[in-house]
Amino acid sequence: MESSARREEAPLTPREIYERLDRYVIGQDAAKRAVAIAAHNHLKRVQARRLRRQSLIKKSNILLIGPTGSGKTHIARNLAEILHVPFTTVDATEYTEAGYYGKDVEVMISDLLLKANHSVEDTQRGIIFVDEVDKIARRSQGARNGAGSRDIGGEGVQQGLLKLLEGREVYVPLNVTQAWNKSDFVQVDTRDILFICAGTFSDLHDYGDEPGGGRPLGFGADESFRRAKKRIGTKQLVEFGMLAEFLGRLPVVVQLDLLGEADLIRVLTEPPDSIIREFRELLAMDELELDFDDGALREVVHYSVARGLGARGLRSILEHVMADIMFEAPERRRRQVKVDADYVRPRLATLDAVELNV
C-alpha cells in the first residue's frame, strides 16, 4: 500500500513528458527533450517543497527562441495540460515599468490566478507563458529592430520580471480589470510558478536567408538548411538588449527549428487534434465524408512556407480554402467531398498573406 502511494506521488519522468508532448507537437525533438527535462526537475522541486524538505533544486524557467509558427506556444500549452496545472499566456509588450501607464508585471500573476479559479495554491504551481519577450530588450543602445530609444517597456520590464522569475512573495490584484484598486490584493508566492518565455529574436538568426541567396526550396530541402543554422548564445542575447540577470533566471534555453513542408503536413494530419481531423468531424455531423488528398495538403503547406507563416498560418489558410464547402455542407448531406490540388490552387490564388489572422 505504501509503495503504491509512493508511485502515485512520483513525478512524470522526462520520457513520459516527452512522449505525451510528441503526440501533439510535431518535430522539434531537441526542444521537447529539453522542456521535458526542465518540467521533470520542476515537478521534483515542487514535490520537495510540498514534503517540506530542504532542496538545492533551482527553478528551471525556460527561454524558447524560434521563428513564427514553430510551435513555441503550442509546446507550453500542451505541457501545462500534461502537468495538470493552470496555464496563462501573456504578451510582454503589454507591460511597462512600475509608475508608467500600462500593466505592472504582477498583473500576469493575476491572469494565472483567474485561470486557477482564484485558488492561490493552484496558482503557485502553474505555468506562465510570456510571449514576445524579445520586444522588451533594452532599447538605449539603438537596437536594430527600429524601436528607437523608448525604454518604458524594455529594460524596466525585465527588471520587474526578475523577482517573479526568481521567486518572491508578491501582492497581486484579485481583479485583472481593476489593477489600480489597491484594496483587493492577495499574496502569491512565485517560487514554484514555472515561467516559459518566448521570442523570435529575428535579428539574431538567418531564418529565411542564406549567404548565397534565398532559402532553399523544394520538398525536404530544408533539412540541411536547419542543420546549418547558427545557434544563439548568451553573448548575442545580451548584445540584443536582454539583461544578463534576466537571462540568468532562464537557465534552459531552447532554440526551435523552422518547420519544413514535411513537418507541416504532419501537423495537419497526425496529432489527435489536427486541423484536418477537425474539419472531418465537422462535416461528418452533416453526413459528409471529407477526402483531403496529398496534393491538396502540399499546396497548403507550400503556401504557408513560402510566406513564412509556419504552423500558425495553417488554420487561416484552410478556413479560407474550405469556406465554400463549409457554407454548403448542411445542404449536401450523404455525399463525399473531395478536396484536391485543383480545388485548392485557385482559392489560394485569391488569398493574400496580409489577410491571414496569424
Side-chain angles (χ1 to χ4, degrees):
M1 194 76 174
E2 222 174 286
S3 61
S4 66
R6 273 200 300 270
R7 272 199 305 273
E8 287 174 6
E9 288 179 5
L12 291 169
T13 67
R15 187 177 299 280
E16 288 171 335
I17 296 171
Y18 172 86
E19 287 173 351
R20 296 187 191 189
L21 277 175
D22 198 44
R23 291 186 64 210
Y24 292 90
V25 181
I26 299 300
Q28 312 297 9
D29 286 344
K32 286 183 291 194
R33 285 175 65 92
V35 167
I37 294 168
H40 174 70
N41 292 339
H42 176 72
L43 291 175
K44 286 194 289 192
R45 184 176 187 275
V46 172
Q47 185 184 55
R49 189 179 298 281
R50 193 168 58 241
L51 297 173
R52 290 177 170 78
R53 291 205 311 256
Q54 289 294 328
S55 174
L56 296 175
I57 305 173
K58 301 292 188 295
K59 284 188 74 171
S60 300
N61 295 320
I62 301 167
L63 174 61
L64 300 178
I65 300 173
T68 298
S70 58
K72 299 184 294 293
T73 311
H74 194 51
I75 287 175
R77 184 178 293 112
N78 279 283
L79 179 64
E81 290 181 7
I82 291 166
L83 303 184
H84 302 293
V85 296
F87 172 79
T88 190
T89 301
V90 299
D91 192 323
T93 58
E94 296 179 359
Y95 296 86
T96 58
E97 188 176 348
Y100 289 93
Y101 182 78
K103 293 181 180 179
D104 293 343
V105 292
E106 288 80 9
V107 176
M108 61 179 65
I109 310 294
S110 296
D111 288 330
L112 188 63
L113 186 65
L114 184 65
K115 296 291 175 64
N117 294 318
H118 290 91
S119 166
V120 174
E121 185 181 347
D122 289 342
T123 301
Q124 290 178 162
R125 60 187 186 89
I127 295 176
I128 296 180
F129 181 78
V130 187
D131 203 5
E132 305 283 9
V133 77
D134 53 320
K135 305 300 189 297
I136 58 169
R138 186 196 292 124
R139 310 301 190 198
S140 54
Q141 84 279 35
R144 287 176 291 168
N145 51 16
S149 60
R150 182 185 70 83
D151 200 37
I152 296 168
E155 182 177 353
V157 178
Q158 291 187 61
Q159 293 279 7
L161 279 169
L162 289 179
K163 61 183 179 183
L164 302 183
L165 292 171
E166 185 175 15
R168 300 275 182 84
E169 290 186 347
V170 294
Y171 288 93
V172 300
L174 276 169
N175 192 334
V176 181
T177 61
Q178 296 177 345
W180 299 106
N181 182 356
K182 301 297 182 184
S183 60
D184 296 328
F185 275 70
V186 64
Q187 192 175 37
V188 176
D189 189 339
T190 68
R191 283 179 294 180
D192 291 332
I193 295 176
L194 183 65
F195 286 84
I196 301 178
C197 298
T200 59
F201 293 91
S202 52
D203 290 332
L204 291 183
H205 48 57
D206 295 325
Y207 294 115
D209 296 314
E210 275 200 317
R215 184 180 178 281
L217 299 177
F219 203 75
D222 51 334
E223 286 302 322
S224 58
F225 172 72
R226 284 208 296 267
R227 281 196 294 271
K229 176 173 60 62
K230 64 181 180 183
R231 311 307 292 178
I232 296 172
T234 303
K235 182 183 176 184
Q236 291 99 313
L237 291 171
V238 171
E239 289 173 352
F240 184 85
M242 306 308 292
L243 297 179
E245 304 94 315
F246 183 79
L247 295 173
R249 287 160 177 81
L250 295 165
V252 182
V253 180
V254 182
Q255 194 167 340
L256 281 76
D257 295 322
L258 189 69
L259 291 175
E261 294 188 4
D263 291 325
L264 292 179
I265 286 181
R266 293 180 62 205
V267 168
L268 282 175
T269 56
E270 287 187 18
D273 59 348
S274 70
I275 309 170
I276 295 297
R277 292 188 188 207
E278 183 182 337
F279 275 113
R280 284 199 176 114
E281 183 178 331
L282 282 168
L283 291 174
M285 295 175 75
D286 289 315
E287 300 180 48
L288 288 171
E289 183 183 342
L290 175 63
D291 179 15
F292 214 103
D293 73 11
D294 291 344
L297 293 174
R298 286 172 182 266
E299 290 290 335
V300 169
V301 299
H302 182 72
Y303 184 94
S304 180
V305 168
R307 285 153 184 80
L309 300 173
R312 183 175 291 180
L314 293 176
R315 173 172 290 279
S316 296
I317 296 169
L318 277 173
E319 290 283 358
H320 179 83
V321 168
M322 297 291 293
D324 292 339
I325 291 174
M326 300 306 294
F327 184 83
E328 299 166 5
E331 303 159 8
R332 300 170 59 180
R333 291 179 179 274
R334 302 179 189 280
R335 289 183 57 187
Q336 185 181 48
V337 178
K338 183 173 178 61
V339 179
D340 54 20
D342 292 335
Y343 180 87
V344 170
R345 212 172 285 122
R347 283 160 178 79
L348 291 179
T350 65
L351 178 61
D352 194 303
V354 177
E355 298 172 2
L356 293 175
N357 182 25
V358 297

